[in-house]
Amino acid sequence: MSEDSAFYPPVDPVQAGLKGRCPRCGEGRLFRGFLAVGDRCSNCGLDYGFADAGDGPAVFVILIIGFVVVGLALWMEITYGPPLWLQFLLWTPLTLVLSLTALRLIKGVLLTLQYANKAREGRLEGPQ
């Protein structure tokens, strides 16, 4: 990532990520589609080439949404004992909706935090 020499007021990376906004100016769109990161900010021109969240958002979604849905399904099973078809009917759509929503939010936050903390790919130093 090239050094950013432009002056912009500080942007809260978490808030910008949740809104899907540019990590530098807080105005331009971060995503060009539902999960696809844009090429650059339409407002300040920041190149999003640094943006690589990898599998991080998916891992967080699996852990968080899995915990919530499995916990609720177990609670419902123990409390009410509904038939299996009703369990599938309730938890499958809920899991899909929560996962897709959380995936975009978490990806946006991870990308804006990556910019705010100047995170880069790890490098190994040569022999000393």
Side-chain angles (χ1 to χ4, degrees):
M1 175 168 55
S2 63
E3 199 59 35
D4 189 7
S5 61
F7 177 74
Y8 288 93
V11 174
D12 179 29
V14 174
Q15 195 172 31
L18 290 175
K19 292 179 180 178
R21 298 294 177 193
C22 172
R24 179 165 68 179
C25 67
E27 297 295 323
R29 295 175 54 127
L30 183 61
F31 299 103
R32 71 169 174 256
F34 185 70
L35 286 174
V37 178
D39 296 327
R40 62 182 56 254
C41 176
S42 60
N43 189 47
C44 68
L46 175 67
D47 182 19
Y48 294 148
F50 69 89
D52 181 23
D55 293 334
V59 170
F60 283 115
V61 167
I62 290 168
L63 293 174
I64 295 168
I65 303 303
F67 177 78
V68 170
V69 171
V70 169
L72 288 172
L74 287 173
W75 172 80
M76 188 170 185
E77 180 64 35
I78 291 169
T79 306
Y80 300 108
L84 190 59
W85 64 268
L86 183 60
Q87 292 275 28
F88 283 126
L89 191 65
L90 287 174
W91 305 119
T92 303
L94 180 68
T95 302
L96 289 173
V97 169
L98 288 177
S99 295
L100 290 174
T101 304
L103 191 58
R104 180 180 168 99
L105 295 174
I106 292 173
K107 185 173 185 176
V109 169
L110 287 178
L111 292 177
T112 55
L113 284 172
Q114 186 178 27
Y115 176 81
N117 294 307
K118 297 175 179 62
R120 289 188 287 243
E121 184 178 329
R123 305 260 189 246
L124 294 175
E125 293 184 16
Q128 297 182 12

